[in-house]
């Protein structure tokens, strides 16, 4: 579908207003005038306080915690904009929740990622713009165009510059087998070797490190993942490369900082010297510790929005 509205309008729900403001600023636009609220019984309310008739509207909303509230906000705002005669509606979802429920792991499991995709489509979105889906095949769950940005090209230059004098001693490590393709791509961007940590997950959010495939002895290890949730996998991996692998020091990076439950406490106590995250999820003040560094994504999303509006390829961003 081509987007040919008379202008661009950027609206923000409540999950990541700072990122939305940065995107609008980079595009030279004001944030759209809207109010998200909640009635006394917990129902979401939405008011659009300006005309969107004939405009191409981009809604910035990560479906992060509280996931269900933020998802409902997105759906309700899409519906409001559709009923207000917007020419096109793009759901800009920097972090796509429910992405880990992409298949039936056991009998009678739901596929919640597909259900979420259906809800966004039925609500009236014409296109989705997101970054680093936990499972890339979720792109196929949508019956509307989806543009999939990558966090690696934003994170890799940071580490390439930071370790410019000791790049030969750096090695990228995948904290589990499922992240191998992502880490291989990341390592090739920096120009270093990679290793893999083989682990066995006993139950959800609990993991046990088994052994390390590759040589990390005496090296600076960079753990690369798409998200950090409870940080169990990441911190166990950091301990393993130090205690079992003999690594000299450990850094880590990920696109999405979910940081639920004991995550921040685990990171603080872990041997990780620095964890670099992107701002796809707003980090509350109480979770901002010295070990965690945030890199902005507003410029990349702004460029992608401009290219969508002008019918230019997004692939050239990388």
């Amino acid at each position: 579908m081509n987007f040919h509205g008379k202008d661009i309008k950027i609206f923000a729900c409540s999950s990541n207003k700072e990122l939305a403001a940065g995107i609008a600023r980079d595009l030279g636009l004001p944030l759209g005038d809207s109010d998200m609220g909640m009635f006394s019984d917990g129902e979401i309310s939405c008011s659009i306080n300006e005309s969107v008739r004939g405009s191409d509207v981009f809604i910035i909303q990560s479906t992060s915690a509280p996931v269900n509230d933020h998802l409902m906000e997105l759906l309700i705002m899409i519906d409001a904009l559709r009923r207000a005669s917007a020419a096109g509606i793009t759901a800009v979802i920097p972090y796509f929740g429910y992405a880990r429920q992409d298949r039936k792991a056991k009998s009678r499991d739901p596929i919640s990622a597909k259900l979420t995709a259906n809800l966004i489509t039925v609500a009236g979105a014409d296109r989705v713009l997101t970054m680093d889906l936990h499972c890339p095949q979720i792109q196929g769950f949508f019956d509307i165009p989806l543009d999939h940005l990558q966090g690696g090209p934003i994170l890799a230059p940071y580490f390439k510059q930071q370790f410019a004098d000791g790049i030969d001693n750096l090695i990228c490590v995948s904290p589990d087998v499922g992240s191998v393709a992502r880490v291989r791509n990341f390592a090739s961007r920096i120009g270093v070797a990679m290793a893999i940590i083989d682990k066995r997950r006993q139950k959800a959010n609990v993991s046990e490190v088994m052994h390390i495939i590759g040589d990390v002895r005496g090296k600076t290890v960079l753990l690369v993942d798409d998200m950090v949730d409870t940080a169990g996998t990441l911190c166990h991996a950091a301990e393993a490369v130090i205690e079992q692998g003999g690594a000299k020091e450990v850094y880590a990076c990920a696109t999405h900082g979910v940081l639920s439950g004991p995550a921040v406490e685990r990171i603080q106590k872990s041997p990780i010297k620095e964890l670099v995250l992107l701002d796809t999820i707003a980090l509350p003040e109480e979770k901002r510790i010295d070990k965690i560094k945030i890199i902005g994504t507003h410029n990349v999303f702004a460029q992608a929005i401009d290219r969508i509006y002008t019918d230019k390829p997004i692939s050239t961003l990388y």
Side-chain angles (χ1 to χ4, degrees):
M1 176 177 290
N2 292 326
F3 287 73
H4 294 296
K6 61 184 180 183
D7 56 7
I8 299 177
K9 289 185 182 288
I10 308 295
F11 282 85
C13 296
S14 64
S15 74
N16 205 330
K17 288 190 173 180
E18 188 176 343
L19 174 57
I23 292 170
R25 185 175 59 249
D26 286 350
L27 289 167
L29 299 170
L31 268 181
D33 186 4
S34 65
D35 296 310
M36 299 299 306
M38 189 174 288
F39 294 108
S40 58
D41 64 352
E43 293 180 1
I44 304 293
S45 68
C46 174
S47 297
I48 308 298
N49 303 320
E50 64 179 89
S51 174
V52 295
R53 187 177 296 272
S55 298
D56 285 338
V57 181
F58 294 79
I59 309 170
I60 317 299
Q61 175 79 331
S62 285
T63 50
S64 51
V67 180
N68 298 329
D69 286 350
H70 287 160
L71 177 59
M72 280 304 300
E73 284 184 7
L74 175 62
L75 298 175
I76 289 170
M77 183 172 276
I78 291 172
D79 183 73
L81 292 166
R82 173 61 63 206
R83 294 175 188 276
S85 300
I89 301 171
T90 298
V92 181
I93 311 173
Y95 168 72
F96 183 82
Y98 285 108
R100 284 172 284 184
Q101 299 184 46
D102 66 309
R103 66 196 184 282
K104 292 180 67 172
K106 61 181 186 296
S107 298
R108 295 173 295 282
D109 271 0
I111 304 181
S112 304
K114 172 58 176 168
L115 173 61
T116 303
N118 288 347
L119 289 170
I120 292 169
T121 304
V122 172
D126 297 297
R127 179 182 292 267
V128 169
L129 174 63
T130 188
M131 178 174 282
D132 272 353
L133 290 167
H134 185 66
C135 300
Q137 61 266 30
I138 291 173
Q139 296 173 74
F141 289 1
F142 286 87
D143 296 325
I144 54 177
L146 182 145
D147 293 300
H148 190 209
L149 300 177
Q150 298 174 15
I154 305 172
L155 290 163
Y158 171 81
F159 288 102
K160 194 168 185 176
Q161 181 178 6
Q162 184 172 1
F163 296 108
D165 296 333
I167 199 73
D168 293 339
N169 201 47
L170 181 68
I171 185 168
C172 288
V173 175
S174 174
D176 55 39
V177 175
S179 298
V180 170
R182 180 182 298 107
V183 179
R184 183 185 296 116
N185 181 273
F186 195 95
S188 67
R189 287 183 181 276
I190 301 178
V192 299
M194 69 170 289
I196 303 166
I197 293 178
D198 180 32
K199 66 178 178 61
R200 181 175 301 160
R201 188 179 296 276
Q202 304 295 336
K203 58 182 179 179
N205 294 329
V206 177
S207 61
E208 178 185 353
V209 173
M210 301 299 289
H211 62 274
I212 301 166
I213 304 170
D215 183 15
V216 300
R217 187 166 300 280
K219 293 184 177 292
T220 297
V221 165
L222 174 57
L223 295 167
V224 181
D225 212 344
D226 66 316
M227 72 168 66
V228 181
D229 187 357
T230 61
T233 295
L234 195 72
C235 292
H236 290 156
E239 292 165 2
V241 294
I242 294 286
E243 297 170 7
Q244 298 179 34
K248 183 175 69 173
E249 55 185 358
V250 185
Y251 292 79
C253 68
T255 302
H256 310 298
V258 180
L259 302 183
S260 62
V264 173
E265 183 181 357
R266 284 174 172 173
I267 293 164
Q268 188 72 278
K269 293 179 179 179
S270 76
I272 296 171
K273 298 191 69 173
E274 183 180 58
L275 169 62
V276 181
L277 302 170
L278 300 184
D279 64 347
T280 56
I281 298 174
L283 190 64
E285 200 62 40
E286 64 270 16
K287 294 184 178 182
R288 295 178 182 267
I289 59 175
D290 291 340
K291 278 189 175 185
I292 297 177
K293 178 182 175 61
I294 305 296
I295 296 178
T297 57
H298 53 88
N299 183 256
V300 171
F301 277 106
Q303 290 184 66
I305 288 170
D306 180 68
R307 288 174 178 275
I308 289 170
Y309 180 70
T310 56
D311 293 330
K312 294 178 181 176
I314 289 179
S315 58
T316 54
L317 285 174
Y318 303 128

